[in-house]
Amino acid sequence: MTKIIFNDFARNLKQLRKKRDWSQQELADKVGVSKQSIFNYENNKKTPSQDTLEKIAQVLKVSQGFLLSGTQDLLDSLEFDKGTPEHEYAQAREYLAFDIGRRALVTKSLENSAFSISDLEYFLDIYEVPSSLVNSLNYEEKINYLKFIMNNQIEKSIKQIEKTVIQNKVFDATYAWDYWDLDSKKTDSK
């Protein structure tokens, strides 16, 4: 796996663990992995699976985007009840930040020619692209397909945010939107 991809993750994981005064073994126990795995992640020797990354983020109470990039959104620090529009909005924003962070890391690695065919196949596997399709593509096609999938995932996250905000009027600022809602103006004028 290309080392440049998870440099921020390695640094952030170590800093967050130390901030909590946890040993590598304590974090490993909480996440359900070995101490050696935590050591490898912190020293950028291995990268976690998507499931492990999610568990680490949950245990450390940060978003996956923060783990990968080091940026923290105010909404990530707020707690909302599951199923509420606010929770859906915060979750969609977290997914969007994660997807944008992943795309930035992949793009940076591609620009630095630090991306091998196995790196491409790793990311295509994350997006659950069938291996038969992956095997039928050459290197350039795999790059283009990965970019396509990442951009589609970002668009999907944006649409989820739009849907949640518009349908549920998640925050006070959206209440003024009724004034600009053309559908309601058509109803009012009838």
Side-chain angles (χ1 to χ4, degrees), residues 127-175:
Y127 287 106
E128 299 178 353
V129 177
S131 59
S132 59
L133 175 59
V134 172
N135 293 336
S136 72
L137 301 173
N138 66 35
Y139 182 77
E140 286 300 317
E141 290 170 331
K142 287 177 184 178
I143 289 172
N144 291 333
Y145 197 76
L146 179 59
K147 288 178 181 179
F148 173 77
I149 290 172
M150 289 188 300
N151 287 331
N152 277 350
Q153 188 63 40
I154 289 169
E155 280 299 314
K156 182 179 169 187
S157 295
I158 289 170
K159 286 181 191 228
Q160 181 61 39
I161 289 171
E162 289 172 348
K163 176 184 166 198
T164 303
V165 169
I166 291 171
Q167 285 182 353
N168 299 307
K169 298 182 180 148
V170 177
F171 297 102
D172 290 339
T174 62
Y175 292 122

mmCIF file of all heavy atoms in Angstrom, residues 127-175:
data_model
loop_
_atom_site.group_PDB
_atom_site.id
_atom_site.type_symbol
_atom_site.label_atom_id
_atom_site.label_comp_id
_atom_site.label_asym_id
_atom_site.label_seq_id
_atom_site.Cartn_x
_atom_site.Cartn_y
_atom_site.Cartn_z
ATOM 1 N N TYR A 127 -14.944 0.395 -2.875
ATOM 2 C CA TYR A 127 -16.204 0.801 -3.499
ATOM 3 C C TYR A 127 -16.994 -0.387 -4.046
ATOM 4 O O TYR A 127 -17.974 -0.208 -4.755
ATOM 5 C CB TYR A 127 -15.941 1.819 -4.608
ATOM 6 C CG TYR A 127 -15.565 3.185 -4.070
ATOM 7 C CD1 TYR A 127 -14.255 3.628 -4.132
ATOM 8 C CD2 TYR A 127 -16.521 4.006 -3.493
ATOM 9 C CE1 TYR A 127 -13.907 4.875 -3.640
ATOM 10 C CE2 TYR A 127 -16.179 5.254 -2.997
ATOM 11 C CZ TYR A 127 -14.870 5.684 -3.073
ATOM 12 O OH TYR A 127 -14.535 6.916 -2.579
ATOM 13 N N GLU A 128 -16.542 -1.595 -3.719
ATOM 14 C CA GLU A 128 -17.241 -2.834 -4.046
ATOM 15 C C GLU A 128 -17.446 -3.024 -5.554
ATOM 16 O O GLU A 128 -18.495 -3.479 -6.005
ATOM 17 C CB GLU A 128 -18.569 -2.921 -3.294
ATOM 18 C CG GLU A 128 -18.375 -2.917 -1.788
ATOM 19 C CD GLU A 128 -19.678 -2.945 -1.003
ATOM 20 O OE1 GLU A 128 -20.761 -2.837 -1.601
ATOM 21 O OE2 GLU A 128 -19.594 -3.078 0.227
ATOM 22 N N VAL A 129 -16.429 -2.651 -6.318
ATOM 23 C CA VAL A 129 -16.456 -2.897 -7.756
ATOM 24 C C VAL A 129 -16.176 -4.384 -7.959
ATOM 25 O O VAL A 129 -15.205 -4.914 -7.401
ATOM 26 C CB VAL A 129 -15.396 -2.037 -8.485
ATOM 27 C CG1 VAL A 129 -15.372 -2.347 -9.968
ATOM 28 C CG2 VAL A 129 -15.659 -0.559 -8.243
ATOM 29 N N PRO A 130 -17.007 -5.068 -8.734
ATOM 30 C CA PRO A 130 -16.796 -6.512 -8.944
ATOM 31 C C PRO A 130 -15.391 -6.798 -9.484
ATOM 32 O O PRO A 130 -14.905 -6.088 -10.372
ATOM 33 C CB PRO A 130 -17.871 -6.884 -9.968
ATOM 34 C CG PRO A 130 -18.901 -5.811 -9.868
ATOM 35 C CD PRO A 130 -18.178 -4.572 -9.453
ATOM 36 N N SER A 131 -14.762 -7.824 -8.958
ATOM 37 C CA SER A 131 -13.397 -8.160 -9.383
ATOM 38 C C SER A 131 -13.332 -8.492 -10.866
ATOM 39 O O SER A 131 -12.323 -8.231 -11.517
ATOM 40 C CB SER A 131 -12.827 -9.304 -8.542
ATOM 41 O OG SER A 131 -13.637 -10.443 -8.660
ATOM 42 N N SER A 132 -14.404 -9.038 -11.416
ATOM 43 C CA SER A 132 -14.403 -9.342 -12.852
ATOM 44 C C SER A 132 -14.267 -8.059 -13.674
ATOM 45 O O SER A 132 -13.570 -8.038 -14.691
ATOM 46 C CB SER A 132 -15.673 -10.094 -13.251
ATOM 47 O OG SER A 132 -16.826 -9.329 -12.937
ATOM 48 N N LEU A 133 -14.910 -6.984 -13.228
ATOM 49 C CA LEU A 133 -14.786 -5.703 -13.917
ATOM 50 C C LEU A 133 -13.386 -5.130 -13.721
ATOM 51 O O LEU A 133 -12.747 -4.679 -14.674
ATOM 52 C CB LEU A 133 -15.841 -4.711 -13.427
ATOM 53 C CG LEU A 133 -15.751 -3.291 -13.983
ATOM 54 C CD1 LEU A 133 -15.870 -3.301 -15.507
ATOM 55 C CD2 LEU A 133 -16.825 -2.411 -13.377
ATOM 56 N N VAL A 134 -12.893 -5.160 -12.488
ATOM 57 C CA VAL A 134 -11.556 -4.635 -12.186
ATOM 58 C C VAL A 134 -10.510 -5.342 -13.044
ATOM 59 O O VAL A 134 -9.631 -4.698 -13.626
ATOM 60 C CB VAL A 134 -11.222 -4.787 -10.683
ATOM 61 C CG1 VAL A 134 -9.774 -4.421 -10.398
ATOM 62 C CG2 VAL A 134 -12.159 -3.933 -9.844
ATOM 63 N N ASN A 135 -10.610 -6.664 -13.144
ATOM 64 C CA ASN A 135 -9.634 -7.437 -13.912
ATOM 65 C C ASN A 135 -9.684 -7.151 -15.405
ATOM 66 O O ASN A 135 -8.697 -7.352 -16.114
ATOM 67 C CB ASN A 135 -9.828 -8.935 -13.662
ATOM 68 C CG ASN A 135 -9.494 -9.317 -12.236
ATOM 69 O OD1 ASN A 135 -8.734 -8.642 -11.560
ATOM 70 N ND2 ASN A 135 -10.084 -10.396 -11.770
ATOM 71 N N SER A 136 -10.826 -6.664 -15.879
ATOM 72 C CA SER A 136 -10.962 -6.386 -17.315
ATOM 73 C C SER A 136 -10.438 -4.998 -17.702
ATOM 74 O O SER A 136 -10.336 -4.688 -18.886
ATOM 75 C CB SER A 136 -12.425 -6.517 -17.742
ATOM 76 O OG SER A 136 -13.191 -5.439 -17.233
ATOM 77 N N LEU A 137 -10.107 -4.167 -16.712
ATOM 78 C CA LEU A 137 -9.663 -2.795 -16.988
ATOM 79 C C LEU A 137 -8.144 -2.692 -16.970
ATOM 80 O O LEU A 137 -7.484 -3.329 -16.155
ATOM 81 C CB LEU A 137 -10.243 -1.833 -15.942
ATOM 82 C CG LEU A 137 -11.764 -1.761 -15.829
ATOM 83 C CD1 LEU A 137 -12.164 -0.897 -14.643
ATOM 84 C CD2 LEU A 137 -12.384 -1.243 -17.108
ATOM 85 N N ASN A 138 -7.602 -1.835 -17.838
ATOM 86 C CA ASN A 138 -6.165 -1.553 -17.767
ATOM 87 C C ASN A 138 -5.926 -0.449 -16.720
ATOM 88 O O ASN A 138 -6.881 0.068 -16.121
ATOM 89 C CB ASN A 138 -5.598 -1.176 -19.145
ATOM 90 C CG ASN A 138 -6.144 0.137 -19.679
ATOM 91 O OD1 ASN A 138 -6.404 1.088 -18.941
ATOM 92 N ND2 ASN A 138 -6.328 0.200 -20.994
ATOM 93 N N TYR A 139 -4.680 -0.093 -16.506
ATOM 94 C CA TYR A 139 -4.313 0.866 -15.450
ATOM 95 C C TYR A 139 -5.055 2.198 -15.605
ATOM 96 O O TYR A 139 -5.663 2.694 -14.651
ATOM 97 C CB TYR A 139 -2.793 1.083 -15.460
ATOM 98 C CG TYR A 139 -2.293 2.013 -14.381
ATOM 99 C CD1 TYR A 139 -2.174 1.564 -13.071
ATOM 100 C CD2 TYR A 139 -1.945 3.322 -14.671
ATOM 101 C CE1 TYR A 139 -1.712 2.403 -12.072
ATOM 102 C CE2 TYR A 139 -1.483 4.173 -13.676
ATOM 103 C CZ TYR A 139 -1.368 3.713 -12.378
ATOM 104 O OH TYR A 139 -0.928 4.553 -11.392
ATOM 105 N N GLU A 140 -5.033 2.782 -16.794
ATOM 106 C CA GLU A 140 -5.693 4.079 -17.027
ATOM 107 C C GLU A 140 -7.205 3.978 -16.839
ATOM 108 O O GLU A 140 -7.828 4.878 -16.277
ATOM 109 C CB GLU A 140 -5.371 4.613 -18.433
ATOM 110 C CG GLU A 140 -3.965 5.152 -18.579
ATOM 111 C CD GLU A 140 -3.660 6.320 -17.648
ATOM 112 O OE1 GLU A 140 -4.510 7.226 -17.500
ATOM 113 O OE2 GLU A 140 -2.565 6.320 -17.043
ATOM 114 N N GLU A 141 -7.787 2.890 -17.306
ATOM 115 C CA GLU A 141 -9.227 2.702 -17.135
ATOM 116 C C GLU A 141 -9.587 2.564 -15.660
ATOM 117 O O GLU A 141 -10.620 3.077 -15.215
ATOM 118 C CB GLU A 141 -9.684 1.467 -17.915
ATOM 119 C CG GLU A 141 -9.639 1.644 -19.425
ATOM 120 C CD GLU A 141 -9.862 0.350 -20.196
ATOM 121 O OE1 GLU A 141 -9.515 -0.738 -19.658
ATOM 122 O OE2 GLU A 141 -10.369 0.433 -21.330
ATOM 123 N N LYS A 142 -8.722 1.898 -14.903
ATOM 124 C CA LYS A 142 -8.965 1.769 -13.465
ATOM 125 C C LYS A 142 -8.910 3.135 -12.782
ATOM 126 O O LYS A 142 -9.745 3.438 -11.922
ATOM 127 C CB LYS A 142 -7.948 0.819 -12.825
ATOM 128 C CG LYS A 142 -8.192 -0.628 -13.171
ATOM 129 C CD LYS A 142 -7.145 -1.546 -12.590
ATOM 130 C CE LYS A 142 -7.402 -2.975 -13.062
ATOM 131 N NZ LYS A 142 -6.434 -3.934 -12.609
ATOM 132 N N ILE A 143 -7.958 3.956 -13.172
ATOM 133 C CA ILE A 143 -7.862 5.311 -12.612
ATOM 134 C C ILE A 143 -9.136 6.093 -12.926
ATOM 135 O O ILE A 143 -9.739 6.708 -12.043
ATOM 136 C CB ILE A 143 -6.625 6.055 -13.167
ATOM 137 C CG1 ILE A 143 -5.343 5.458 -12.582
ATOM 138 C CG2 ILE A 143 -6.698 7.553 -12.864
ATOM 139 C CD1 ILE A 143 -4.068 6.001 -13.205
ATOM 140 N N ASN A 144 -9.535 6.082 -14.187
ATOM 141 C CA ASN A 144 -10.733 6.824 -14.594
ATOM 142 C C ASN A 144 -11.993 6.299 -13.907
ATOM 143 O O ASN A 144 -12.855 7.078 -13.503
ATOM 144 C CB ASN A 144 -10.893 6.793 -16.113
ATOM 145 C CG ASN A 144 -9.825 7.604 -16.807
ATOM 146 O OD1 ASN A 144 -9.285 8.561 -16.244
ATOM 147 N ND2 ASN A 144 -9.494 7.225 -18.030
ATOM 148 N N TYR A 145 -12.092 4.987 -13.772
ATOM 149 C CA TYR A 145 -13.257 4.404 -13.110
ATOM 150 C C TYR A 145 -13.279 4.776 -11.625
ATOM 151 O O TYR A 145 -14.334 5.116 -11.081
ATOM 152 C CB TYR A 145 -13.270 2.880 -13.292
ATOM 153 C CG TYR A 145 -14.612 2.268 -13.001
ATOM 154 C CD1 TYR A 145 -15.660 2.385 -13.909
ATOM 155 C CD2 TYR A 145 -14.837 1.587 -11.816
ATOM 156 C CE1 TYR A 145 -16.903 1.836 -13.636
ATOM 157 C CE2 TYR A 145 -16.077 1.030 -11.539
ATOM 158 C CZ TYR A 145 -17.109 1.164 -12.447
ATOM 159 O OH TYR A 145 -18.338 0.624 -12.168
ATOM 160 N N LEU A 146 -12.122 4.749 -10.986
ATOM 161 C CA LEU A 146 -12.042 5.136 -9.577
ATOM 162 C C LEU A 146 -12.447 6.599 -9.402
ATOM 163 O O LEU A 146 -13.222 6.929 -8.498
ATOM 164 C CB LEU A 146 -10.632 4.894 -9.028
ATOM 165 C CG LEU A 146 -10.414 5.280 -7.557
ATOM 166 C CD1 LEU A 146 -11.362 4.511 -6.641
ATOM 167 C CD2 LEU A 146 -8.964 5.017 -7.162
ATOM 168 N N LYS A 147 -11.950 7.476 -10.254
ATOM 169 C CA LYS A 147 -12.335 8.893 -10.184
ATOM 170 C C LYS A 147 -13.847 9.050 -10.371
ATOM 171 O O LYS A 147 -14.495 9.819 -9.655
ATOM 172 C CB LYS A 147 -11.587 9.704 -11.241
ATOM 173 C CG LYS A 147 -10.127 9.898 -10.941
ATOM 174 C CD LYS A 147 -9.458 10.670 -12.070
ATOM 175 C CE LYS A 147 -7.979 10.885 -11.829
ATOM 176 N NZ LYS A 147 -7.347 11.608 -12.949
ATOM 177 N N PHE A 148 -14.385 8.323 -11.326
ATOM 178 C CA PHE A 148 -15.821 8.369 -11.597
ATOM 179 C C PHE A 148 -16.617 7.942 -10.358
ATOM 180 O O PHE A 148 -17.571 8.606 -9.952
ATOM 181 C CB PHE A 148 -16.142 7.461 -12.793
ATOM 182 C CG PHE A 148 -17.600 7.283 -13.063
ATOM 183 C CD1 PHE A 148 -18.335 8.275 -13.695
ATOM 184 C CD2 PHE A 148 -18.250 6.108 -12.691
ATOM 185 C CE1 PHE A 148 -19.691 8.110 -13.946
ATOM 186 C CE2 PHE A 148 -19.598 5.933 -12.936
ATOM 187 C CZ PHE A 148 -20.328 6.932 -13.565
ATOM 188 N N ILE A 149 -16.217 6.839 -9.761
ATOM 189 C CA ILE A 149 -16.924 6.325 -8.581
ATOM 190 C C ILE A 149 -16.817 7.312 -7.417
ATOM 191 O O ILE A 149 -17.801 7.575 -6.725
ATOM 192 C CB ILE A 149 -16.360 4.952 -8.162
ATOM 193 C CG1 ILE A 149 -16.745 3.899 -9.175
ATOM 194 C CG2 ILE A 149 -16.858 4.551 -6.785
ATOM 195 C CD1 ILE A 149 -16.085 2.562 -8.940
ATOM 196 N N MET A 150 -15.625 7.854 -7.189
ATOM 197 C CA MET A 150 -15.454 8.803 -6.081
ATOM 198 C C MET A 150 -16.316 10.041 -6.290
ATOM 199 O O MET A 150 -16.966 10.511 -5.353
ATOM 200 C CB MET A 150 -13.978 9.179 -5.920
ATOM 201 C CG MET A 150 -13.127 8.046 -5.378
ATOM 202 S SD MET A 150 -11.426 8.501 -4.953
ATOM 203 C CE MET A 150 -10.790 9.072 -6.517
ATOM 204 N N ASN A 151 -16.337 10.559 -7.497
ATOM 205 C CA ASN A 151 -17.161 11.735 -7.775
ATOM 206 C C ASN A 151 -18.644 11.430 -7.619
ATOM 207 O O ASN A 151 -19.402 12.249 -7.092
ATOM 208 C CB ASN A 151 -16.865 12.287 -9.175
ATOM 209 C CG ASN A 151 -15.519 12.974 -9.225
ATOM 210 O OD1 ASN A 151 -15.036 13.516 -8.236
ATOM 211 N ND2 ASN A 151 -14.900 12.959 -10.387
ATOM 212 N N ASN A 152 -19.078 10.248 -8.063
ATOM 213 C CA ASN A 152 -20.476 9.853 -7.874
ATOM 214 C C ASN A 152 -20.827 9.739 -6.392
ATOM 215 O O ASN A 152 -21.925 10.119 -5.979
ATOM 216 C CB ASN A 152 -20.773 8.533 -8.586
ATOM 217 C CG ASN A 152 -21.078 8.735 -10.047
ATOM 218 O OD1 ASN A 152 -21.256 9.853 -10.512
ATOM 219 N ND2 ASN A 152 -21.140 7.644 -10.783
ATOM 220 N N GLN A 153 -19.910 9.203 -5.595
ATOM 221 C CA GLN A 153 -20.165 9.066 -4.164
ATOM 222 C C GLN A 153 -20.297 10.439 -3.512
ATOM 223 O O GLN A 153 -21.154 10.650 -2.651
ATOM 224 C CB GLN A 153 -19.035 8.264 -3.499
ATOM 225 C CG GLN A 153 -19.317 7.912 -2.060
ATOM 226 C CD GLN A 153 -20.530 7.004 -1.905
ATOM 227 O OE1 GLN A 153 -20.742 6.099 -2.682
ATOM 228 N NE2 GLN A 153 -21.332 7.265 -0.897
ATOM 229 N N ILE A 154 -19.471 11.377 -3.929
ATOM 230 C CA ILE A 154 -19.554 12.739 -3.394
ATOM 231 C C ILE A 154 -20.886 13.373 -3.792
ATOM 232 O O ILE A 154 -21.563 13.997 -2.965
ATOM 233 C CB ILE A 154 -18.344 13.577 -3.857
ATOM 234 C CG1 ILE A 154 -17.083 13.085 -3.134
ATOM 235 C CG2 ILE A 154 -18.573 15.071 -3.624
ATOM 236 C CD1 ILE A 154 -15.787 13.629 -3.685
ATOM 237 N N GLU A 155 -21.281 13.206 -5.046
ATOM 238 C CA GLU A 155 -22.577 13.731 -5.500
ATOM 239 C C GLU A 155 -23.727 13.116 -4.711
ATOM 240 O O GLU A 155 -24.683 13.803 -4.344
ATOM 241 C CB GLU A 155 -22.771 13.476 -6.995
ATOM 242 C CG GLU A 155 -22.054 14.460 -7.871
ATOM 243 C CD GLU A 155 -22.523 15.896 -7.662
ATOM 244 O OE1 GLU A 155 -23.746 16.152 -7.608
ATOM 245 O OE2 GLU A 155 -21.648 16.772 -7.523
ATOM 246 N N LYS A 156 -23.640 11.834 -4.434
ATOM 247 C CA LYS A 156 -24.677 11.142 -3.657
ATOM 248 C C LYS A 156 -24.769 11.740 -2.247
ATOM 249 O O LYS A 156 -25.864 11.982 -1.740
ATOM 250 C CB LYS A 156 -24.342 9.650 -3.594
ATOM 251 C CG LYS A 156 -25.341 8.803 -2.864
ATOM 252 C CD LYS A 156 -24.910 7.337 -2.900
ATOM 253 C CE LYS A 156 -25.727 6.494 -1.963
ATOM 254 N NZ LYS A 156 -25.218 5.123 -1.874
ATOM 255 N N SER A 157 -23.624 11.998 -1.640
ATOM 256 C CA SER A 157 -23.612 12.595 -0.302
ATOM 257 C C SER A 157 -24.194 14.003 -0.327
ATOM 258 O O SER A 157 -24.941 14.389 0.576
ATOM 259 C CB SER A 157 -22.185 12.627 0.258
ATOM 260 O OG SER A 157 -21.699 11.326 0.456
ATOM 261 N N ILE A 158 -23.854 14.768 -1.343
ATOM 262 C CA ILE A 158 -24.389 16.135 -1.466
ATOM 263 C C ILE A 158 -25.910 16.091 -1.618
ATOM 264 O O ILE A 158 -26.629 16.860 -0.980
ATOM 265 C CB ILE A 158 -23.732 16.874 -2.652
ATOM 266 C CG1 ILE A 158 -22.271 17.196 -2.315
ATOM 267 C CG2 ILE A 158 -24.502 18.149 -3.002
ATOM 268 C CD1 ILE A 158 -21.453 17.707 -3.481
ATOM 269 N N LYS A 159 -26.400 15.177 -2.435
ATOM 270 C CA LYS A 159 -27.849 15.061 -2.629
ATOM 271 C C LYS A 159 -28.549 14.670 -1.325
ATOM 272 O O LYS A 159 -29.644 15.140 -1.032
ATOM 273 C CB LYS A 159 -28.166 14.072 -3.740
ATOM 274 C CG LYS A 159 -27.867 14.656 -5.101
ATOM 275 C CD LYS A 159 -28.190 13.691 -6.211
ATOM 276 C CE LYS A 159 -27.604 14.255 -7.444
ATOM 277 N NZ LYS A 159 -28.120 14.403 -8.586
ATOM 278 N N GLN A 160 -27.909 13.815 -0.532
ATOM 279 C CA GLN A 160 -28.490 13.426 0.757
ATOM 280 C C GLN A 160 -28.563 14.632 1.692
ATOM 281 O O GLN A 160 -29.551 14.829 2.386
ATOM 282 C CB GLN A 160 -27.680 12.303 1.405
ATOM 283 C CG GLN A 160 -28.236 11.842 2.739
ATOM 284 C CD GLN A 160 -29.644 11.286 2.638
ATOM 285 O OE1 GLN A 160 -29.985 10.588 1.693
ATOM 286 N NE2 GLN A 160 -30.493 11.610 3.594
ATOM 287 N N ILE A 161 -27.524 15.445 1.680
ATOM 288 C CA ILE A 161 -27.530 16.658 2.508
ATOM 289 C C ILE A 161 -28.633 17.596 2.032
ATOM 290 O O ILE A 161 -29.405 18.124 2.843
ATOM 291 C CB ILE A 161 -26.146 17.343 2.468
ATOM 292 C CG1 ILE A 161 -25.122 16.503 3.233
ATOM 293 C CG2 ILE A 161 -26.224 18.766 3.045
ATOM 294 C CD1 ILE A 161 -23.693 16.966 3.072
ATOM 295 N N GLU A 162 -28.720 17.813 0.723
ATOM 296 C CA GLU A 162 -29.761 18.694 0.179
ATOM 297 C C GLU A 162 -31.149 18.203 0.567
ATOM 298 O O GLU A 162 -32.001 18.976 1.000
ATOM 299 C CB GLU A 162 -29.657 18.766 -1.350
ATOM 300 C CG GLU A 162 -28.463 19.534 -1.841
ATOM 301 C CD GLU A 162 -28.263 19.424 -3.355
ATOM 302 O OE1 GLU A 162 -28.918 18.564 -4.000
ATOM 303 O OE2 GLU A 162 -27.453 20.196 -3.881
ATOM 304 N N LYS A 163 -31.375 16.913 0.418
ATOM 305 C CA LYS A 163 -32.678 16.325 0.738
ATOM 306 C C LYS A 163 -33.017 16.538 2.215
ATOM 307 O O LYS A 163 -34.120 16.972 2.555
ATOM 308 C CB LYS A 163 -32.663 14.826 0.419
ATOM 309 C CG LYS A 163 -33.923 14.091 0.786
ATOM 310 C CD LYS A 163 -33.776 12.604 0.514
ATOM 311 C CE LYS A 163 -34.884 11.843 1.192
ATOM 312 N NZ LYS A 163 -34.580 10.438 1.315
ATOM 313 N N THR A 164 -32.057 16.256 3.075
ATOM 314 C CA THR A 164 -32.288 16.387 4.508
ATOM 315 C C THR A 164 -32.557 17.838 4.894
ATOM 316 O O THR A 164 -33.484 18.129 5.646
ATOM 317 C CB THR A 164 -31.082 15.839 5.297
ATOM 318 O OG1 THR A 164 -30.868 14.486 4.913
ATOM 319 C CG2 THR A 164 -31.316 15.917 6.790
ATOM 320 N N VAL A 165 -31.774 18.742 4.351
ATOM 321 C CA VAL A 165 -31.930 20.156 4.702
ATOM 322 C C VAL A 165 -33.249 20.701 4.177
ATOM 323 O O VAL A 165 -34.002 21.347 4.900
ATOM 324 C CB VAL A 165 -30.740 20.987 4.168
ATOM 325 C CG1 VAL A 165 -31.009 22.468 4.285
ATOM 326 C CG2 VAL A 165 -29.470 20.634 4.930
ATOM 327 N N ILE A 166 -33.547 20.442 2.924
ATOM 328 C CA ILE A 166 -34.745 21.022 2.320
ATOM 329 C C ILE A 166 -36.020 20.385 2.865
ATOM 330 O O ILE A 166 -36.969 21.085 3.217
ATOM 331 C CB ILE A 166 -34.680 20.910 0.781
ATOM 332 C CG1 ILE A 166 -33.577 21.854 0.271
ATOM 333 C CG2 ILE A 166 -36.021 21.249 0.153
ATOM 334 C CD1 ILE A 166 -33.253 21.701 -1.191
ATOM 335 N N GLN A 167 -36.050 19.069 2.970
ATOM 336 C CA GLN A 167 -37.270 18.408 3.436
ATOM 337 C C GLN A 167 -37.519 18.631 4.919
ATOM 338 O O GLN A 167 -38.657 18.781 5.337
ATOM 339 C CB GLN A 167 -37.198 16.908 3.162
ATOM 340 C CG GLN A 167 -37.407 16.554 1.718
ATOM 341 C CD GLN A 167 -37.388 15.043 1.500
ATOM 342 O OE1 GLN A 167 -37.094 14.264 2.388
ATOM 343 N NE2 GLN A 167 -37.712 14.633 0.292
ATOM 344 N N ASN A 168 -36.466 18.636 5.699
ATOM 345 C CA ASN A 168 -36.648 18.656 7.147
ATOM 346 C C ASN A 168 -36.330 19.991 7.801
ATOM 347 O O ASN A 168 -36.498 20.139 8.997
ATOM 348 C CB ASN A 168 -35.781 17.568 7.791
ATOM 349 C CG ASN A 168 -36.171 16.195 7.303
ATOM 350 O OD1 ASN A 168 -37.323 15.819 7.367
ATOM 351 N ND2 ASN A 168 -35.211 15.466 6.776
ATOM 352 N N LYS A 169 -35.844 20.937 7.011
ATOM 353 C CA LYS A 169 -35.486 22.254 7.545
ATOM 354 C C LYS A 169 -34.688 22.080 8.838
ATOM 355 O O LYS A 169 -35.111 22.475 9.917
ATOM 356 C CB LYS A 169 -36.730 23.096 7.762
ATOM 357 C CG LYS A 169 -37.437 23.347 6.458
ATOM 358 C CD LYS A 169 -38.630 24.211 6.618
ATOM 359 C CE LYS A 169 -39.240 24.387 5.247
ATOM 360 N NZ LYS A 169 -40.637 24.539 5.251
ATOM 361 N N VAL A 170 -33.531 21.499 8.684
ATOM 362 C CA VAL A 170 -32.741 21.034 9.807
ATOM 363 C C VAL A 170 -32.387 22.128 10.798
ATOM 364 O O VAL A 170 -32.479 21.939 11.993
ATOM 365 C CB VAL A 170 -31.452 20.342 9.294
ATOM 366 C CG1 VAL A 170 -30.588 19.909 10.448
ATOM 367 C CG2 VAL A 170 -31.810 19.157 8.437
ATOM 368 N N PHE A 171 -31.988 23.275 10.324
ATOM 369 C CA PHE A 171 -31.540 24.319 11.239
ATOM 370 C C PHE A 171 -32.396 25.570 11.087
ATOM 371 O O PHE A 171 -33.042 25.784 10.058
ATOM 372 C CB PHE A 171 -30.058 24.641 10.994
ATOM 373 C CG PHE A 171 -29.180 23.456 11.269
ATOM 374 C CD1 PHE A 171 -28.676 22.690 10.237
ATOM 375 C CD2 PHE A 171 -28.894 23.074 12.571
ATOM 376 C CE1 PHE A 171 -27.898 21.581 10.494
ATOM 377 C CE2 PHE A 171 -28.126 21.962 12.840
ATOM 378 C CZ PHE A 171 -27.627 21.217 11.801
ATOM 379 N N ASP A 172 -32.394 26.421 12.113
ATOM 380 C CA ASP A 172 -33.228 27.614 12.126
ATOM 381 C C ASP A 172 -33.091 28.458 10.868
ATOM 382 O O ASP A 172 -34.064 29.031 10.391
ATOM 383 C CB ASP A 172 -32.896 28.487 13.346
ATOM 384 C CG ASP A 172 -33.348 27.843 14.643
ATOM 385 O OD1 ASP A 172 -34.231 26.962 14.580
ATOM 386 O OD2 ASP A 172 -32.828 28.220 15.700
ATOM 387 N N ALA A 173 -31.897 28.548 10.328
ATOM 388 C CA ALA A 173 -31.674 29.393 9.159
ATOM 389 C C ALA A 173 -32.517 28.957 7.970
ATOM 390 O O ALA A 173 -32.840 29.762 7.101
ATOM 391 C CB ALA A 173 -30.202 29.380 8.768
ATOM 392 N N THR A 174 -32.918 27.710 7.918
ATOM 393 C CA THR A 174 -33.677 27.220 6.770
ATOM 394 C C THR A 174 -35.142 27.627 6.847
ATOM 395 O O THR A 174 -35.849 27.528 5.847
ATOM 396 C CB THR A 174 -33.585 25.691 6.650
ATOM 397 O OG1 THR A 174 -34.163 25.096 7.809
ATOM 398 C CG2 THR A 174 -32.159 25.243 6.463
ATOM 399 N N TYR A 175 -35.629 28.090 7.991
ATOM 400 C CA TYR A 175 -37.048 28.445 8.090
ATOM 401 C C TYR A 175 -37.409 29.608 7.179
ATOM 402 O O TYR A 175 -38.524 29.723 6.712
ATOM 403 C CB TYR A 175 -37.442 28.724 9.535
ATOM 404 C CG TYR A 175 -37.405 27.474 10.374
ATOM 405 C CD1 TYR A 175 -36.614 27.374 11.490
ATOM 406 C CD2 TYR A 175 -38.158 26.361 10.006
ATOM 407 C CE1 TYR A 175 -36.569 26.211 12.227
ATOM 408 C CE2 TYR A 175 -38.114 25.194 10.736
ATOM 409 C CZ TYR A 175 -37.325 25.120 11.850
ATOM 410 O OH TYR A 175 -37.273 23.969 12.576
#
